[in-house]
């Protein structure tokens, strides 16, 4: 490297060639430098979403699914059963009361119709979810729901900042359940 007196540095042609060669080598490494499509990035997140909510139902604890969500009290979520919740705390408690306390089992499976739009640190997804519920009365209900979620990338992790689930009306619990 040649140094100019007091004015920073001046790179020689050899140094510039070495830098350019290194950049080309990195670009040619398999799997490096390839952009991942939003669908490839969010597909596993939706699968994780279904697994965590299924596990949360099995544990009777919505906190199992909490890593998916931002915890701001001002956020609004619309869950199964067409209820509105403000903040993760209310959402978790509401889902427990509306579903977990009334069901013996609950299973979520992702559909194959995921749509993703990503704009910088914000993305929104739409997808169908297959839901299988066995209510405390012993009655089973098998239905498809639609989920729209708004995600925000916070500290390198995508979290849900708004969610809307559309589903058929949930049945009234049987007497004594």
């Amino acid at each position: 490297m040649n140094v100019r007196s007091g004015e920073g540095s001046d790179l020689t042609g050899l140094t510039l060639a070495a830098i350019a060669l290194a950049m080309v080598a990195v670009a040619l490494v398999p799997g490096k430098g390839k952009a991942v499509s939003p669908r490839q990035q969010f597909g596993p997140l939706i699968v994780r979403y279904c697994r965590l909510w299924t596990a949360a139902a099995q544990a009777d604890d919505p906190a199992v699914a909490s890593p998916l969500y931002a915890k701001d009290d001002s956020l609004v979520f619309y869950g199964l059963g067409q209820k509105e919740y403000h903040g993760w705390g209310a959402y978790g408690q509401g889902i427990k009361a509306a579903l977990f306390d009334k069901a013996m089992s609950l299973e979520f499976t992702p559909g194959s119709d995921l749509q993703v739009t990503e704009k910088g640190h914000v993305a929104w997804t739409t997808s169908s979810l297959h839901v299988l519920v066995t209510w405390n009365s012993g009655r089973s209900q098998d239905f498809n729901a639609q989920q729209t979620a708004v995600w925000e990338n916070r500290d390198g992790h995508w979290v849900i900042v708004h969610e809307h689930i559309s589903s058929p009306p949930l049945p009234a619990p049987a007497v004594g359940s």
Side-chain angles (χ1 to χ4, degrees), residues 42 45-46 49 68-70 75-77 115 117 119 121-126 147-154 158-165:
F42 281 88
L45 281 174
I46 298 300
Y49 171 94
L68 296 166
Y69 293 85
L75 300 176
V76 177
F77 304 98
Q115 298 292 314
T117 302
K119 301 287 183 186
H121 72 284
V122 175
W124 51 98
T125 58
T126 60
Q147 181 218 36
T148 301
V150 178
W151 302 76
E152 185 177 346
N153 193 320
R154 294 186 177 182
W158 288 102
V159 291
I160 297 171
V161 295
H162 175 75
E163 178 175 46
H164 188 119
I165 305 273

PDB file of all heavy atoms in Angstrom, residues 42 45-46 49 68-70 75-77 115 117 119 121-126 147-154 158-165:
ATOM      1  N   PHE A  42     -40.374 -17.531   4.965  1.00  0.00           N
ATOM      2  CA  PHE A  42     -41.539 -17.557   5.845  1.00  0.00           C
ATOM      3  C   PHE A  42     -42.229 -18.911   5.896  1.00  0.00           C
ATOM      4  O   PHE A  42     -42.963 -19.184   6.843  1.00  0.00           O
ATOM      5  CB  PHE A  42     -42.531 -16.452   5.460  1.00  0.00           C
ATOM      6  CG  PHE A  42     -42.116 -15.113   5.985  1.00  0.00           C
ATOM      7  CD1 PHE A  42     -41.283 -14.293   5.252  1.00  0.00           C
ATOM      8  CD2 PHE A  42     -42.512 -14.692   7.232  1.00  0.00           C
ATOM      9  CE1 PHE A  42     -40.867 -13.075   5.739  1.00  0.00           C
ATOM     10  CE2 PHE A  42     -42.104 -13.470   7.742  1.00  0.00           C
ATOM     11  CZ  PHE A  42     -41.274 -12.662   7.000  1.00  0.00           C
ATOM     12  N   LEU A  45     -41.382 -20.485   9.035  1.00  0.00           N
ATOM     13  CA  LEU A  45     -41.997 -19.746  10.153  1.00  0.00           C
ATOM     14  C   LEU A  45     -43.457 -20.155  10.344  1.00  0.00           C
ATOM     15  O   LEU A  45     -43.923 -20.285  11.478  1.00  0.00           O
ATOM     16  CB  LEU A  45     -41.913 -18.234   9.924  1.00  0.00           C
ATOM     17  CG  LEU A  45     -40.575 -17.579  10.227  1.00  0.00           C
ATOM     18  CD1 LEU A  45     -40.586 -16.107   9.810  1.00  0.00           C
ATOM     19  CD2 LEU A  45     -40.219 -17.711  11.691  1.00  0.00           C
ATOM     20  N   ILE A  46     -44.178 -20.379   9.245  1.00  0.00           N
ATOM     21  CA  ILE A  46     -45.581 -20.793   9.355  1.00  0.00           C
ATOM     22  C   ILE A  46     -45.660 -22.219   9.900  1.00  0.00           C
ATOM     23  O   ILE A  46     -46.532 -22.531  10.725  1.00  0.00           O
ATOM     24  CB  ILE A  46     -46.302 -20.653   7.998  1.00  0.00           C
ATOM     25  CG1 ILE A  46     -46.307 -19.190   7.529  1.00  0.00           C
ATOM     26  CG2 ILE A  46     -47.711 -21.216   8.064  1.00  0.00           C
ATOM     27  CD1 ILE A  46     -47.002 -18.211   8.464  1.00  0.00           C
ATOM     28  N   TYR A  49     -45.068 -21.845  13.485  1.00  0.00           N
ATOM     29  CA  TYR A  49     -46.285 -21.279  14.074  1.00  0.00           C
ATOM     30  C   TYR A  49     -47.261 -22.412  14.425  1.00  0.00           C
ATOM     31  O   TYR A  49     -47.772 -22.486  15.546  1.00  0.00           O
ATOM     32  CB  TYR A  49     -46.900 -20.303  13.066  1.00  0.00           C
ATOM     33  CG  TYR A  49     -48.269 -19.790  13.424  1.00  0.00           C
ATOM     34  CD1 TYR A  49     -48.413 -18.594  14.109  1.00  0.00           C
ATOM     35  CD2 TYR A  49     -49.410 -20.478  13.063  1.00  0.00           C
ATOM     36  CE1 TYR A  49     -49.664 -18.107  14.429  1.00  0.00           C
ATOM     37  CE2 TYR A  49     -50.670 -20.000  13.377  1.00  0.00           C
ATOM     38  CZ  TYR A  49     -50.791 -18.816  14.061  1.00  0.00           C
ATOM     39  OH  TYR A  49     -52.040 -18.346  14.383  1.00  0.00           O
ATOM     40  N   LEU A  68     -43.249 -16.257  18.991  1.00  0.00           N
ATOM     41  CA  LEU A  68     -43.673 -15.806  17.661  1.00  0.00           C
ATOM     42  C   LEU A  68     -44.164 -14.363  17.660  1.00  0.00           C
ATOM     43  O   LEU A  68     -44.303 -13.769  16.596  1.00  0.00           O
ATOM     44  CB  LEU A  68     -44.818 -16.685  17.157  1.00  0.00           C
ATOM     45  CG  LEU A  68     -44.506 -18.152  16.919  1.00  0.00           C
ATOM     46  CD1 LEU A  68     -45.797 -18.935  16.761  1.00  0.00           C
ATOM     47  CD2 LEU A  68     -43.620 -18.315  15.700  1.00  0.00           C
ATOM     48  N   TYR A  69     -44.459 -13.799  18.815  1.00  0.00           N
ATOM     49  CA  TYR A  69     -45.188 -12.539  18.905  1.00  0.00           C
ATOM     50  C   TYR A  69     -44.391 -11.417  19.559  1.00  0.00           C
ATOM     51  O   TYR A  69     -43.659 -11.657  20.516  1.00  0.00           O
ATOM     52  CB  TYR A  69     -46.482 -12.747  19.722  1.00  0.00           C
ATOM     53  CG  TYR A  69     -47.459 -13.646  19.016  1.00  0.00           C
ATOM     54  CD1 TYR A  69     -47.379 -15.019  19.135  1.00  0.00           C
ATOM     55  CD2 TYR A  69     -48.448 -13.110  18.194  1.00  0.00           C
ATOM     56  CE1 TYR A  69     -48.257 -15.854  18.461  1.00  0.00           C
ATOM     57  CE2 TYR A  69     -49.322 -13.936  17.518  1.00  0.00           C
ATOM     58  CZ  TYR A  69     -49.216 -15.304  17.655  1.00  0.00           C
ATOM     59  OH  TYR A  69     -50.087 -16.122  16.975  1.00  0.00           O
ATOM     60  N   ALA A  70     -44.619 -10.201  19.059  1.00  0.00           N
ATOM     61  CA  ALA A  70     -44.130  -9.005  19.744  1.00  0.00           C
ATOM     62  C   ALA A  70     -44.993  -8.806  20.987  1.00  0.00           C
ATOM     63  O   ALA A  70     -46.162  -9.197  21.003  1.00  0.00           O
ATOM     64  CB  ALA A  70     -44.224  -7.798  18.825  1.00  0.00           C
ATOM     65  N   LEU A  75     -50.574  -3.627  20.482  1.00  0.00           N
ATOM     66  CA  LEU A  75     -50.841  -4.438  19.292  1.00  0.00           C
ATOM     67  C   LEU A  75     -52.209  -5.096  19.376  1.00  0.00           C
ATOM     68  O   LEU A  75     -52.689  -5.430  20.461  1.00  0.00           O
ATOM     69  CB  LEU A  75     -49.758  -5.502  19.128  1.00  0.00           C
ATOM     70  CG  LEU A  75     -48.342  -4.957  18.972  1.00  0.00           C
ATOM     71  CD1 LEU A  75     -47.337  -6.090  18.905  1.00  0.00           C
ATOM     72  CD2 LEU A  75     -48.240  -4.074  17.736  1.00  0.00           C
ATOM     73  N   VAL A  76     -52.839  -5.299  18.207  1.00  0.00           N
ATOM     74  CA  VAL A  76     -54.175  -5.878  18.140  1.00  0.00           C
ATOM     75  C   VAL A  76     -54.108  -7.209  17.398  1.00  0.00           C
ATOM     76  O   VAL A  76     -53.481  -7.313  16.339  1.00  0.00           O
ATOM     77  CB  VAL A  76     -55.166  -4.931  17.429  1.00  0.00           C
ATOM     78  CG1 VAL A  76     -56.541  -5.565  17.307  1.00  0.00           C
ATOM     79  CG2 VAL A  76     -55.251  -3.602  18.172  1.00  0.00           C
ATOM     80  N   PHE A  77     -54.761  -8.229  17.965  1.00  0.00           N
ATOM     81  CA  PHE A  77     -54.824  -9.557  17.376  1.00  0.00           C
ATOM     82  C   PHE A  77     -56.285  -9.998  17.334  1.00  0.00           C
ATOM     83  O   PHE A  77     -57.045  -9.731  18.258  1.00  0.00           O
ATOM     84  CB  PHE A  77     -54.025 -10.565  18.221  1.00  0.00           C
ATOM     85  CG  PHE A  77     -52.594 -10.167  18.430  1.00  0.00           C
ATOM     86  CD1 PHE A  77     -52.192  -9.535  19.602  1.00  0.00           C
ATOM     87  CD2 PHE A  77     -51.643 -10.410  17.458  1.00  0.00           C
ATOM     88  CE1 PHE A  77     -50.870  -9.168  19.806  1.00  0.00           C
ATOM     89  CE2 PHE A  77     -50.310 -10.045  17.648  1.00  0.00           C
ATOM     90  CZ  PHE A  77     -49.929  -9.425  18.819  1.00  0.00           C
ATOM     91  N   GLN A 115     -48.749 -16.955   0.933  1.00  0.00           N
ATOM     92  CA  GLN A 115     -48.389 -15.779   0.143  1.00  0.00           C
ATOM     93  C   GLN A 115     -47.616 -14.843   1.067  1.00  0.00           C
ATOM     94  O   GLN A 115     -48.017 -14.637   2.217  1.00  0.00           O
ATOM     95  CB  GLN A 115     -49.628 -15.063  -0.394  1.00  0.00           C
ATOM     96  CG  GLN A 115     -50.464 -15.910  -1.342  1.00  0.00           C
ATOM     97  CD  GLN A 115     -49.731 -16.170  -2.640  1.00  0.00           C
ATOM     98  OE1 GLN A 115     -49.157 -15.276  -3.242  1.00  0.00           O
ATOM     99  NE2 GLN A 115     -49.723 -17.426  -3.064  1.00  0.00           N
ATOM    100  N   THR A 117     -45.429 -11.019   1.290  1.00  0.00           N
ATOM    101  CA  THR A 117     -44.918  -9.758   0.761  1.00  0.00           C
ATOM    102  C   THR A 117     -43.996  -9.194   1.817  1.00  0.00           C
ATOM    103  O   THR A 117     -44.380  -9.055   2.981  1.00  0.00           O
ATOM    104  CB  THR A 117     -46.061  -8.760   0.467  1.00  0.00           C
ATOM    105  OG1 THR A 117     -46.970  -9.365  -0.453  1.00  0.00           O
ATOM    106  CG2 THR A 117     -45.514  -7.473  -0.126  1.00  0.00           C
ATOM    107  N   LYS A 119     -41.318  -6.044   2.730  1.00  0.00           N
ATOM    108  CA  LYS A 119     -40.851  -4.689   2.427  1.00  0.00           C
ATOM    109  C   LYS A 119     -39.928  -4.251   3.559  1.00  0.00           C
ATOM    110  O   LYS A 119     -40.375  -3.767   4.598  1.00  0.00           O
ATOM    111  CB  LYS A 119     -42.029  -3.705   2.313  1.00  0.00           C
ATOM    112  CG  LYS A 119     -43.045  -4.062   1.250  1.00  0.00           C
ATOM    113  CD  LYS A 119     -42.504  -3.816  -0.124  1.00  0.00           C
ATOM    114  CE  LYS A 119     -43.581  -4.115  -1.164  1.00  0.00           C
ATOM    115  NZ  LYS A 119     -43.103  -4.043  -2.506  1.00  0.00           N
ATOM    116  N   HIS A 121     -38.078  -4.237   6.774  1.00  0.00           N
ATOM    117  CA  HIS A 121     -38.185  -4.941   8.052  1.00  0.00           C
ATOM    118  C   HIS A 121     -39.622  -5.313   8.400  1.00  0.00           C
ATOM    119  O   HIS A 121     -39.902  -5.751   9.515  1.00  0.00           O
ATOM    120  CB  HIS A 121     -37.544  -4.116   9.180  1.00  0.00           C
ATOM    121  CG  HIS A 121     -38.335  -2.916   9.571  1.00  0.00           C
ATOM    122  ND1 HIS A 121     -38.366  -1.760   8.816  1.00  0.00           N
ATOM    123  CD2 HIS A 121     -39.141  -2.701  10.629  1.00  0.00           C
ATOM    124  CE1 HIS A 121     -39.169  -0.884   9.410  1.00  0.00           C
ATOM    125  NE2 HIS A 121     -39.643  -1.431  10.503  1.00  0.00           N
ATOM    126  N   VAL A 122     -40.549  -5.168   7.423  1.00  0.00           N
ATOM    127  CA  VAL A 122     -41.947  -5.534   7.629  1.00  0.00           C
ATOM    128  C   VAL A 122     -42.376  -6.504   6.530  1.00  0.00           C
ATOM    129  O   VAL A 122     -41.968  -6.369   5.377  1.00  0.00           O
ATOM    130  CB  VAL A 122     -42.859  -4.286   7.611  1.00  0.00           C
ATOM    131  CG1 VAL A 122     -44.328  -4.664   7.715  1.00  0.00           C
ATOM    132  CG2 VAL A 122     -42.488  -3.338   8.744  1.00  0.00           C
ATOM    133  N   ALA A 123     -43.185  -7.497   6.893  1.00  0.00           N
ATOM    134  CA  ALA A 123     -43.726  -8.436   5.916  1.00  0.00           C
ATOM    135  C   ALA A 123     -45.132  -8.808   6.333  1.00  0.00           C
ATOM    136  O   ALA A 123     -45.502  -8.679   7.506  1.00  0.00           O
ATOM    137  CB  ALA A 123     -42.857  -9.690   5.848  1.00  0.00           C
ATOM    138  N   TRP A 124     -45.927  -9.246   5.372  1.00  0.00           N
ATOM    139  CA  TRP A 124     -47.246  -9.774   5.702  1.00  0.00           C
ATOM    140  C   TRP A 124     -47.426 -11.082   4.970  1.00  0.00           C
ATOM    141  O   TRP A 124     -46.930 -11.286   3.867  1.00  0.00           O
ATOM    142  CB  TRP A 124     -48.380  -8.783   5.444  1.00  0.00           C
ATOM    143  CG  TRP A 124     -48.413  -8.144   4.095  1.00  0.00           C
ATOM    144  CD1 TRP A 124     -49.171  -8.514   3.022  1.00  0.00           C
ATOM    145  CD2 TRP A 124     -47.685  -6.985   3.685  1.00  0.00           C
ATOM    146  NE1 TRP A 124     -48.948  -7.673   1.973  1.00  0.00           N
ATOM    147  CE2 TRP A 124     -48.037  -6.714   2.348  1.00  0.00           C
ATOM    148  CE3 TRP A 124     -46.744  -6.150   4.311  1.00  0.00           C
ATOM    149  CZ2 TRP A 124     -47.495  -5.659   1.623  1.00  0.00           C
ATOM    150  CZ3 TRP A 124     -46.210  -5.100   3.580  1.00  0.00           C
ATOM    151  CH2 TRP A 124     -46.590  -4.864   2.267  1.00  0.00           C
ATOM    152  N   THR A 125     -48.106 -12.002   5.654  1.00  0.00           N
ATOM    153  CA  THR A 125     -48.331 -13.329   5.105  1.00  0.00           C
ATOM    154  C   THR A 125     -49.821 -13.642   5.156  1.00  0.00           C
ATOM    155  O   THR A 125     -50.535 -13.171   6.046  1.00  0.00           O
ATOM    156  CB  THR A 125     -47.574 -14.409   5.900  1.00  0.00           C
ATOM    157  OG1 THR A 125     -47.978 -14.370   7.273  1.00  0.00           O
ATOM    158  CG2 THR A 125     -46.077 -14.219   5.818  1.00  0.00           C
ATOM    159  N   THR A 126     -50.257 -14.430   4.189  1.00  0.00           N
ATOM    160  CA  THR A 126     -51.598 -15.000   4.223  1.00  0.00           C
ATOM    161  C   THR A 126     -51.445 -16.488   3.955  1.00  0.00           C
ATOM    162  O   THR A 126     -50.612 -16.898   3.139  1.00  0.00           O
ATOM    163  CB  THR A 126     -52.545 -14.378   3.173  1.00  0.00           C
ATOM    164  OG1 THR A 126     -51.998 -14.598   1.867  1.00  0.00           O
ATOM    165  CG2 THR A 126     -52.727 -12.890   3.413  1.00  0.00           C
ATOM    166  N   GLN A 147     -55.316 -17.274   7.899  1.00  0.00           N
ATOM    167  CA  GLN A 147     -54.520 -16.423   8.763  1.00  0.00           C
ATOM    168  C   GLN A 147     -53.864 -15.339   7.918  1.00  0.00           C
ATOM    169  O   GLN A 147     -53.291 -15.613   6.867  1.00  0.00           O
ATOM    170  CB  GLN A 147     -53.429 -17.221   9.473  1.00  0.00           C
ATOM    171  CG  GLN A 147     -52.596 -16.348  10.405  1.00  0.00           C
ATOM    172  CD  GLN A 147     -51.128 -16.703  10.425  1.00  0.00           C
ATOM    173  OE1 GLN A 147     -50.555 -17.066   9.419  1.00  0.00           O
ATOM    174  NE2 GLN A 147     -50.530 -16.555  11.589  1.00  0.00           N
ATOM    175  N   THR A 148     -53.982 -14.117   8.390  1.00  0.00           N
ATOM    176  CA  THR A 148     -53.200 -13.005   7.869  1.00  0.00           C
ATOM    177  C   THR A 148     -52.359 -12.499   9.033  1.00  0.00           C
ATOM    178  O   THR A 148     -52.894 -12.242  10.110  1.00  0.00           O
ATOM    179  CB  THR A 148     -54.100 -11.873   7.330  1.00  0.00           C
ATOM    180  OG1 THR A 148     -54.924 -12.392   6.292  1.00  0.00           O
ATOM    181  CG2 THR A 148     -53.273 -10.716   6.798  1.00  0.00           C
ATOM    182  N   ALA A 149     -51.065 -12.393   8.811  1.00  0.00           N
ATOM    183  CA  ALA A 149     -50.181 -11.914   9.873  1.00  0.00           C
ATOM    184  C   ALA A 149     -49.282 -10.820   9.318  1.00  0.00           C
ATOM    185  O   ALA A 149     -48.836 -10.885   8.168  1.00  0.00           O
ATOM    186  CB  ALA A 149     -49.331 -13.046  10.429  1.00  0.00           C
ATOM    187  N   VAL A 150     -49.042  -9.823  10.150  1.00  0.00           N
ATOM    188  CA  VAL A 150     -48.058  -8.790   9.842  1.00  0.00           C
ATOM    189  C   VAL A 150     -46.867  -9.072  10.752  1.00  0.00           C
ATOM    190  O   VAL A 150     -47.022  -9.210  11.966  1.00  0.00           O
ATOM    191  CB  VAL A 150     -48.619  -7.365  10.093  1.00  0.00           C
ATOM    192  CG1 VAL A 150     -47.553  -6.316   9.818  1.00  0.00           C
ATOM    193  CG2 VAL A 150     -49.864  -7.125   9.246  1.00  0.00           C
ATOM    194  N   TRP A 151     -45.702  -9.184  10.135  1.00  0.00           N
ATOM    195  CA  TRP A 151     -44.470  -9.524  10.834  1.00  0.00           C
ATOM    196  C   TRP A 151     -43.530  -8.320  10.802  1.00  0.00           C
ATOM    197  O   TRP A 151     -43.524  -7.565   9.842  1.00  0.00           O
ATOM    198  CB  TRP A 151     -43.762 -10.685  10.144  1.00  0.00           C
ATOM    199  CG  TRP A 151     -44.553 -11.938  10.006  1.00  0.00           C
ATOM    200  CD1 TRP A 151     -45.567 -12.179   9.111  1.00  0.00           C
ATOM    201  CD2 TRP A 151     -44.397 -13.146  10.739  1.00  0.00           C
ATOM    202  NE1 TRP A 151     -46.039 -13.460   9.259  1.00  0.00           N
ATOM    203  CE2 TRP A 151     -45.327 -14.078  10.250  1.00  0.00           C
ATOM    204  CE3 TRP A 151     -43.524 -13.540  11.759  1.00  0.00           C
ATOM    205  CZ2 TRP A 151     -45.436 -15.372  10.746  1.00  0.00           C
ATOM    206  CZ3 TRP A 151     -43.636 -14.830  12.258  1.00  0.00           C
ATOM    207  CH2 TRP A 151     -44.577 -15.735  11.758  1.00  0.00           C
ATOM    208  N   GLU A 152     -42.750  -8.184  11.848  1.00  0.00           N
ATOM    209  CA  GLU A 152     -41.723  -7.147  11.894  1.00  0.00           C
ATOM    210  C   GLU A 152     -40.407  -7.811  12.283  1.00  0.00           C
ATOM    211  O   GLU A 152     -40.371  -8.651  13.185  1.00  0.00           O
ATOM    212  CB  GLU A 152     -42.098  -6.071  12.913  1.00  0.00           C
ATOM    213  CG  GLU A 152     -41.138  -4.907  12.942  1.00  0.00           C
ATOM    214  CD  GLU A 152     -41.566  -3.811  13.914  1.00  0.00           C
ATOM    215  OE1 GLU A 152     -42.713  -3.802  14.374  1.00  0.00           O
ATOM    216  OE2 GLU A 152     -40.711  -2.969  14.215  1.00  0.00           O
ATOM    217  N   ASN A 153     -39.348  -7.430  11.597  1.00  0.00           N
ATOM    218  CA  ASN A 153     -38.040  -7.967  11.923  1.00  0.00           C
ATOM    219  C   ASN A 153     -37.451  -7.108  13.031  1.00  0.00           C
ATOM    220  O   ASN A 153     -37.104  -5.949  12.825  1.00  0.00           O
ATOM    221  CB  ASN A 153     -37.127  -7.968  10.694  1.00  0.00           C
ATOM    222  CG  ASN A 153     -35.892  -8.800  10.919  1.00  0.00           C
ATOM    223  OD1 ASN A 153     -35.304  -8.790  11.988  1.00  0.00           O
ATOM    224  ND2 ASN A 153     -35.504  -9.537   9.894  1.00  0.00           N
ATOM    225  N   ARG A 154     -37.373  -7.694  14.210  1.00  0.00           N
ATOM    226  CA  ARG A 154     -36.818  -7.007  15.378  1.00  0.00           C
ATOM    227  C   ARG A 154     -35.568  -7.744  15.821  1.00  0.00           C
ATOM    228  O   ARG A 154     -35.632  -8.923  16.162  1.00  0.00           O
ATOM    229  CB  ARG A 154     -37.838  -6.967  16.519  1.00  0.00           C
ATOM    230  CG  ARG A 154     -39.057  -6.127  16.203  1.00  0.00           C
ATOM    231  CD  ARG A 154     -39.965  -6.008  17.396  1.00  0.00           C
ATOM    232  NE  ARG A 154     -41.104  -5.132  17.114  1.00  0.00           N
ATOM    233  CZ  ARG A 154     -42.030  -4.839  18.013  1.00  0.00           C
ATOM    234  NH1 ARG A 154     -41.968  -5.353  19.238  1.00  0.00           N
ATOM    235  NH2 ARG A 154     -43.027  -4.038  17.694  1.00  0.00           N
ATOM    236  N   TRP A 158     -38.051 -12.396  13.055  1.00  0.00           N
ATOM    237  CA  TRP A 158     -39.393 -12.012  12.619  1.00  0.00           C
ATOM    238  C   TRP A 158     -40.393 -12.352  13.712  1.00  0.00           C
ATOM    239  O   TRP A 158     -40.431 -13.491  14.196  1.00  0.00           O
ATOM    240  CB  TRP A 158     -39.765 -12.750  11.333  1.00  0.00           C
ATOM    241  CG  TRP A 158     -39.015 -12.250  10.142  1.00  0.00           C
ATOM    242  CD1 TRP A 158     -37.935 -12.835   9.542  1.00  0.00           C
ATOM    243  CD2 TRP A 158     -39.292 -11.056   9.400  1.00  0.00           C
ATOM    244  NE1 TRP A 158     -37.521 -12.073   8.473  1.00  0.00           N
ATOM    245  CE2 TRP A 158     -38.334 -10.975   8.358  1.00  0.00           C
ATOM    246  CE3 TRP A 158     -40.249 -10.050   9.504  1.00  0.00           C
ATOM    247  CZ2 TRP A 158     -38.318  -9.931   7.440  1.00  0.00           C
ATOM    248  CZ3 TRP A 158     -40.226  -9.015   8.594  1.00  0.00           C
ATOM    249  CH2 TRP A 158     -39.271  -8.958   7.571  1.00  0.00           C
ATOM    250  N   VAL A 159     -41.183 -11.358  14.132  1.00  0.00           N
ATOM    251  CA  VAL A 159     -42.237 -11.564  15.131  1.00  0.00           C
ATOM    252  C   VAL A 159     -43.546 -10.988  14.594  1.00  0.00           C
ATOM    253  O   VAL A 159     -43.558 -10.051  13.799  1.00  0.00           O
ATOM    254  CB  VAL A 159     -41.894 -10.916  16.494  1.00  0.00           C
ATOM    255  CG1 VAL A 159     -40.735 -11.648  17.159  1.00  0.00           C
ATOM    256  CG2 VAL A 159     -41.589  -9.438  16.361  1.00  0.00           C
ATOM    257  N   ILE A 160     -44.643 -11.576  15.038  1.00  0.00           N
ATOM    258  CA  ILE A 160     -45.966 -11.145  14.600  1.00  0.00           C
ATOM    259  C   ILE A 160     -46.368  -9.908  15.402  1.00  0.00           C
ATOM    260  O   ILE A 160     -46.359  -9.931  16.637  1.00  0.00           O
ATOM    261  CB  ILE A 160     -47.002 -12.267  14.778  1.00  0.00           C
ATOM    262  CG1 ILE A 160     -46.622 -13.469  13.898  1.00  0.00           C
ATOM    263  CG2 ILE A 160     -48.408 -11.773  14.446  1.00  0.00           C
ATOM    264  CD1 ILE A 160     -47.450 -14.715  14.137  1.00  0.00           C
ATOM    265  N   VAL A 161     -46.736  -8.837  14.693  1.00  0.00           N
ATOM    266  CA  VAL A 161     -47.193  -7.609  15.346  1.00  0.00           C
ATOM    267  C   VAL A 161     -48.701  -7.397  15.130  1.00  0.00           C
ATOM    268  O   VAL A 161     -49.293  -6.522  15.759  1.00  0.00           O
ATOM    269  CB  VAL A 161     -46.397  -6.370  14.879  1.00  0.00           C
ATOM    270  CG1 VAL A 161     -44.933  -6.481  15.306  1.00  0.00           C
ATOM    271  CG2 VAL A 161     -46.505  -6.155  13.387  1.00  0.00           C
ATOM    272  N   HIS A 162     -49.295  -8.188  14.261  1.00  0.00           N
ATOM    273  CA  HIS A 162     -50.746  -8.172  14.067  1.00  0.00           C
ATOM    274  C   HIS A 162     -51.137  -9.495  13.429  1.00  0.00           C
ATOM    275  O   HIS A 162     -50.432 -10.001  12.554  1.00  0.00           O
ATOM    276  CB  HIS A 162     -51.201  -7.021  13.167  1.00  0.00           C
ATOM    277  CG  HIS A 162     -52.662  -7.068  12.856  1.00  0.00           C
ATOM    278  ND1 HIS A 162     -53.625  -6.728  13.768  1.00  0.00           N
ATOM    279  CD2 HIS A 162     -53.313  -7.462  11.749  1.00  0.00           C
ATOM    280  CE1 HIS A 162     -54.815  -6.882  13.218  1.00  0.00           C
ATOM    281  NE2 HIS A 162     -54.662  -7.342  11.984  1.00  0.00           N
ATOM    282  N   GLU A 163     -52.256 -10.026  13.869  1.00  0.00           N
ATOM    283  CA  GLU A 163     -52.736 -11.288  13.312  1.00  0.00           C
ATOM    284  C   GLU A 163     -54.249 -11.255  13.244  1.00  0.00           C
ATOM    285  O   GLU A 163     -54.909 -10.714  14.130  1.00  0.00           O
ATOM    286  CB  GLU A 163     -52.275 -12.450  14.199  1.00  0.00           C
ATOM    287  CG  GLU A 163     -52.756 -13.806  13.731  1.00  0.00           C
ATOM    288  CD  GLU A 163     -52.167 -14.922  14.563  1.00  0.00           C
ATOM    289  OE1 GLU A 163     -52.153 -14.830  15.809  1.00  0.00           O
ATOM    290  OE2 GLU A 163     -51.708 -15.898  13.959  1.00  0.00           O
ATOM    291  N   HIS A 164     -54.760 -11.834  12.174  1.00  0.00           N
ATOM    292  CA  HIS A 164     -56.211 -11.975  12.020  1.00  0.00           C
ATOM    293  C   HIS A 164     -56.478 -13.387  11.529  1.00  0.00           C
ATOM    294  O   HIS A 164     -55.991 -13.787  10.484  1.00  0.00           O
ATOM    295  CB  HIS A 164     -56.755 -10.956  11.014  1.00  0.00           C
ATOM    296  CG  HIS A 164     -58.244 -10.924  10.967  1.00  0.00           C
ATOM    297  ND1 HIS A 164     -58.954  -9.797  11.264  1.00  0.00           N
ATOM    298  CD2 HIS A 164     -59.148 -11.884  10.671  1.00  0.00           C
ATOM    299  CE1 HIS A 164     -60.246 -10.070  11.145  1.00  0.00           C
ATOM    300  NE2 HIS A 164     -60.381 -11.317  10.786  1.00  0.00           N
ATOM    301  N   ILE A 165     -57.233 -14.130  12.316  1.00  0.00           N
ATOM    302  CA  ILE A 165     -57.618 -15.489  11.951  1.00  0.00           C
ATOM    303  C   ILE A 165     -59.114 -15.470  11.630  1.00  0.00           C
ATOM    304  O   ILE A 165     -59.916 -14.990  12.428  1.00  0.00           O
ATOM    305  CB  ILE A 165     -57.380 -16.484  13.109  1.00  0.00           C
ATOM    306  CG1 ILE A 165     -55.954 -16.432  13.593  1.00  0.00           C
ATOM    307  CG2 ILE A 165     -57.825 -17.874  12.718  1.00  0.00           C
ATOM    308  CD1 ILE A 165     -54.994 -17.304  12.889  1.00  0.00           C
TER     309      ILE A 165
END
